[in-house]
Amino acid sequence: MTTSASKTTRFTATQLETFIASAFQSVGLPATDARSVAQLMAQADIQGSEGHGIFRLPQYIRRIKAGAVNVKPNIRVEREAAGMALVNGDNGMGHLVMKFAAERAIEKAKTAGVAWVGAKWSNHAGPASLYSNMPLAHNMIGLYMAVGSANHLPPWGGIDMLLSTNPLAVSLPAGEGKAPIVLDMATTVAAYGKVKTKAQRGEMMPEGWMIDREGNPLTDPKRANEGFLLPIGGYKGYGLALIIGLLCGTLNGAAMGKDVIDFNADDTSVTNTGHSIVAINIESFMPLVEFRKQVDVLVADLRASKRMPGVERIRMPGEGSFNALKSNTKSGVAMPPSLMQALDKLAAELGIQPLGR
């Protein structure tokens, strides 16, 4: 671990988990739940999803202390059939709600072949791929969608922010020991978590992430409330955000449109965040070994295809996270000085041992 206050520090997953769990226990989460959330948040950092890991801890703690999150929820199945379930998260931490939902989807898909589980009365749950990856351990394909926890996207051609970054993640297994194919994306060019990390570090955003209400490029993340995020693919990204919102918000009885609470600006209101997780049992469609083989053949074909001038290699979705996972597992997660200061301040406020001490 690097300890100089002026340099980036690095921490192991165990160190992150211990600190995060301690923070949550100090504000009332039961030890088992605190550890479960901590493991998922640390996993987000280990896989390189820095805007959704420990960076979010001060915000989560603020909302819990303000009474916006139920620290002892009764997470339960409210409706179900052979291939579906609707989970009521009882306003618990989103990580706990979605872990519960993913486990139900996996269990149902073992017999139903495919299972869709929706969730309501949940909260922000971190990066989408945390949950689409869960079925991989059971030789299944995972698909996750959610309504984002703040509206930063207007309808195409408008300026009223009525939609969120509404993420989508799909995880498919490849051959044994090979990187899975993992698409994890917001329906905006950049997730809002990246805007927040840029602001904390005093960095500017590249053009193309946001525009102001006059249509001009907005590159200062500290002025983000003066504009909005741009959708991927223009009007197609807007359409995708809308559909995901309907499937995860409206269909589940969760917040959508003007009912979405901006949890970045509001520490006291219940968000009623909606998510959906789908588990697909590959063996219900074909032998697993054959599917893995065909994925490997396709990946090999893509990588061997002719490249444009200046392109070194063809990348696969999820490759960056897979490499980050290997690197961070070996060397630890990098923690910039600005984030360390925020975490040290949080530790002092909560009366817990600082990270890594």
Side-chain angles (χ1 to χ4, degrees), residues 132-155:
S132 67
N133 283 345
M134 287 182 176
L136 291 178
H138 301 268
N139 297 318
M140 297 182 184
I141 295 168
L143 186 154
Y144 168 89
M145 301 175 290
V147 178
S149 296
N151 285 341
H152 295 291
L153 179 69

Side-chain angles (χ1 to χ4, degrees), residues 154-160 228:
W156 186 249
I159 61 172
D160 289 337
F228 46 82

Side-chain angles (χ1 to χ4, degrees), residues 339-356:
L339 181 52
M340 278 304 304
Q341 292 170 6
L343 296 176
D344 285 344
K345 179 182 178 183
L346 178 66
E349 291 173 354
L350 298 177
I352 63 174
Q353 194 77 6
L355 176 61

Side-chain angles (χ1 to χ4, degrees), residues 123-186:
N123 283 282
H124 187 272
S129 58
L130 279 183
Y131 308 103
S132 67
N133 283 345
M134 287 182 176
L136 291 178
H138 301 268
N139 297 318
M140 297 182 184
I141 295 168
L143 186 154
Y144 168 89
M145 301 175 290
V147 178
S149 296
N151 285 341
H152 295 291
L153 179 69
W156 186 249
I159 61 172
D160 289 337
M161 289 184 284
L162 294 170
L163 297 169
S164 186
T165 56
N166 295 356
L168 166 70
V170 184
S171 302
L172 305 95
E176 292 290 345
K178 296 184 179 180
I181 307 299
V182 181
L183 174 68
D184 183 348
M185 62 177 232

Side-chain angles (χ1 to χ4, degrees), residues 8-251:
T8 296
T9 52
R10 288 186 175 273
F11 298 95
T12 65
T14 299
Q15 289 175 309
L16 296 179
E17 289 172 17
T18 299
F19 178 75
I20 296 170
S22 179
F24 281 125
Q25 282 187 257
S26 75
V27 293
L29 259 71
T32 300
D33 287 350
R35 178 61 65 177
S36 292
V37 177
Q39 288 172 343
L40 288 167
M41 288 178 64
Q43 180 63 27
D45 281 312
I46 291 290
Q47 72 179 35
S49 302
E50 59 184 8
H52 290 298
I54 199 170
F55 169 81
R56 295 279 183 172
L57 184 60
Q59 181 182 15
Y60 291 157
I61 296 298
R62 284 199 315 272
R63 287 185 54 78
I64 289 173
K65 292 174 72 174
V69 178
N70 184 359
V71 295
K72 296 180 180 179
N74 175 24
I75 302 171
R76 60 197 182 275
V77 172
E78 194 169 275
R79 295 170 177 260
E80 68 178 322
M84 63 74 62
L86 176 62
V87 171
N88 186 323
D90 195 24
N91 195 32
M93 286 292 295
H95 303 71
L96 298 176
V97 178
M98 281 317 300
K99 182 174 183 288
F100 180 96
E103 289 170 351
R104 294 304 179 279
I106 291 165
E107 193 60 32
K108 285 179 172 290
K110 289 178 181 178
T111 54
V114 177
W116 179 302
V117 176
K120 62 180 178 178
W121 297 112
S122 181
N123 283 282
H124 187 272
S129 58
L130 279 183
Y131 308 103
S132 67
N133 283 345
M134 287 182 176
L136 291 178
H138 301 268
N139 297 318
M140 297 182 184
I141 295 168
L143 186 154
Y144 168 89
M145 301 175 290
V147 178
S149 296
N151 285 341
H152 295 291
L153 179 69
W156 186 249
I159 61 172
D160 289 337
M161 289 184 284
L162 294 170
L163 297 169
S164 186
T165 56
N166 295 356
L168 166 70
V170 184
S171 302
L172 305 95
E176 292 290 345
K178 296 184 179 180
I181 307 299
V182 181
L183 174 68
D184 183 348
M185 62 177 232
T187 45
T188 49
V189 175
Y192 196 70
K194 292 185 177 181
V195 177
K196 288 169 66 69
T197 55
K198 288 284 189 185
Q200 186 186 66
R201 297 175 185 180
E203 300 172 352
M204 301 298 281
M205 300 181 294
E207 286 193 17
W209 281 18
M210 300 190 74
I211 58 174
D212 64 22
R213 289 173 176 81
E214 301 297 323
N216 302 308
L218 182 59
T219 58
D220 184 351
K222 294 182 179 179
R223 295 175 50 218
N225 61 355
E226 298 176 22
F228 46 82
L229 293 168
L230 288 169
I232 56 171
Y235 62 88
K236 294 182 180 180
Y238 151 62
L240 185 57
L242 173 61
I243 294 302
I244 290 175
L246 289 168
L247 292 174
C248 302
T250 307
L251 182 63

Side-chain angles (χ1 to χ4, degrees), residues 185-342:
M185 62 177 232
T187 45
T188 49
V189 175
Y192 196 70
K194 292 185 177 181
V195 177
K196 288 169 66 69
T197 55
K198 288 284 189 185
Q200 186 186 66
R201 297 175 185 180
E203 300 172 352
M204 301 298 281
M205 300 181 294
E207 286 193 17
W209 281 18
M210 300 190 74
I211 58 174
D212 64 22
R213 289 173 176 81
E214 301 297 323
N216 302 308
L218 182 59
T219 58
D220 184 351
K222 294 182 179 179
R223 295 175 50 218
N225 61 355
E226 298 176 22
F228 46 82
L229 293 168
L230 288 169
I232 56 171
Y235 62 88
K236 294 182 180 180
Y238 151 62
L240 185 57
L242 173 61
I243 294 302
I244 290 175
L246 289 168
L247 292 174
C248 302
T250 307
L251 182 63
N252 291 340
M256 172 57 179
K258 66 181 182 216
D259 295 328
V260 170
I261 299 296
D262 183 351
F263 89 140
N264 298 296
D266 185 338
D267 288 338
T268 61
S269 299
V270 172
T271 63
N272 188 15
T273 301
H275 321 254
S276 294
I277 178 80
V278 181
I280 302 172
N281 189 344
I282 295 169
E283 288 281 1
S284 296
F285 292 83
M286 67 166 63
L288 176 64
V289 64
E290 182 61 26
F291 180 81
R292 289 182 181 273
K293 184 186 301 182
Q294 291 188 26
V295 170
D296 289 349
V297 169
L298 178 58
V299 169
D301 288 344
L302 294 172
R303 291 197 186 280
S305 63
K306 293 182 179 179
R307 302 184 296 276
M308 294 180 66
V311 176
E312 293 185 4
R313 63 196 301 269
I314 302 296
R315 293 168 57 91
M316 295 296 110
E319 186 175 322
S321 293
F322 185 75
N323 291 335
L325 179 66
K326 291 191 295 183
S327 175
N328 290 336
T329 299
K330 179 180 179 181
S331 304
V333 174
M335 207 70 59
S338 57
L339 181 52
M340 278 304 304
Q341 292 170 6

